[in-house]
Amino acid sequence: MKKILALLSGTAILFALISCGSTPKAEEEVTEAPVIEESPAIPETGAELLVDDMEEGMFWEAIGSSWNDGDVSVSCELSTDWGSDDSTSLKCRVRTDGGEWEKGGFFTTPYEIDWTGMTMLTLDAYNPNEFDITICPVLQCGENWEDWNQFEGQLVPAGQTVSLTFQIPHLQYLNYIQRVIIYSFGAVPEECDFYVDNIYARN
């Protein structure tokens, strides 16, 4: 009888141990996988992004009438006087007291465009004057306007039409272009016009 009781007692202990071992564990804390932001896709070589072909409306303003920083730009307007491949271009006017001017600038309204992967800006220009002018684009970049991305100026000879290619000087904040500026430099007697058309970002 003692053996039977001992056997039953041992069996009960064994079941108790198995039962304890099979008790569900407290749920383990689940940690979500970190969210990895994908980098913007880099366009293939040869990609282009139209900035303005001057055919869809007027999106430019002369700096001289708004920034009060000595800029000699007077006005700008869409014009059919000249167009590089279509009918319309941007006619830009500057005015000085004669002699060398510092800068005459014209800028787009803010448009917040992603230029990721772009390495250059191209444009067509016409200088109907009897003197040379220099054109120098600028990109204002970043959500807080923190980057002033200025290109090296290029010459537009007197009386000529040219297609210019500008290498982007430093590739920062290109995912948030706030504004494109076209600056002109040169010596004018008093007042003159020049024309810009077909502005593209390319790589």
Side-chain angles (χ1 to χ4, degrees):
M1 184 66 178
K2 288 182 180 180
K3 290 182 178 180
I4 293 174
L5 290 175
L7 181 61
L8 291 174
S9 177
T11 302
I13 292 172
L14 179 61
F15 276 117
L17 291 173
I18 293 172
S19 177
C20 289
S22 62
T23 301
K25 295 180 181 179
E27 293 185 5
E28 296 181 1
E29 183 178 350
V30 177
T31 303
E32 293 184 2
V35 176
I36 300 175
E37 294 185 4
E38 295 184 4
S39 300
I42 304 300
E44 295 181 2
T45 300
E48 62 181 30
L49 176 66
L50 176 64
V51 177
D52 200 346
D53 60 3
M54 314 305 169
E55 301 295 326
E56 302 299 326
M58 179 62 174
F59 305 105
W60 294 79
E61 184 177 342
I63 291 176
S65 61
S66 59
W67 286 8
N68 298 318
D69 66 347
D71 189 281
V72 299
S73 60
V74 176
S75 64
C76 58
E77 62 182 352
L78 296 182
S79 172
T80 57
D81 293 347
W82 173 82
S84 60
D85 59 8
D86 293 305
S87 59
T88 307
S89 63
L90 183 70
K91 181 179 182 179
C92 303
R93 176 163 294 179
V94 295
R95 180 185 297 131
T96 73
D97 294 328
E100 199 75 23
W101 80 64
E102 181 182 357
K103 64 183 183 302
F106 306 86
F107 61 78
T108 59
T109 54
Y111 63 77
E112 301 172 8
I113 296 296
D114 187 348
W115 282 27
T116 299
M118 298 300 168
T119 59
M120 68 189 81
L121 180 147
T122 64
L123 60 83
D124 299 327
Y126 170 50
N127 176 12
N129 305 287
E130 297 179 354
F131 43 83
D132 300 339
I133 63 173
T134 296
I135 286 182
C136 171
V138 173
L139 302 180
Q140 284 189 280
C141 315
E143 293 187 41
N144 298 310
W145 304 82
E146 54 263 56
D147 190 27
W148 180 271
N149 207 332
Q150 185 163 337
F151 298 72
E152 184 176 349
Q154 294 189 33
L155 189 69
V156 184
Q160 293 192 24
T161 296
V162 296
S163 293
L164 303 177
T165 297
F166 301 88
Q167 299 297 321
I168 296 177
H170 46 101
L171 307 178
Q172 295 186 58
Y173 304 106
L174 290 186
N175 63 328
Y176 206 95
I177 304 297
Q178 292 266 30
R179 175 183 284 152
V180 178
I181 302 172
I182 302 297
Y183 274 124
S184 59
F185 301 85
V188 302
E190 288 184 358
E191 185 173 277
C192 77
D193 300 325
F194 66 92
Y195 299 81
V196 175
D197 200 3
N198 289 341
I199 305 173
Y200 282 87
R202 304 180 190 271
N203 73 2

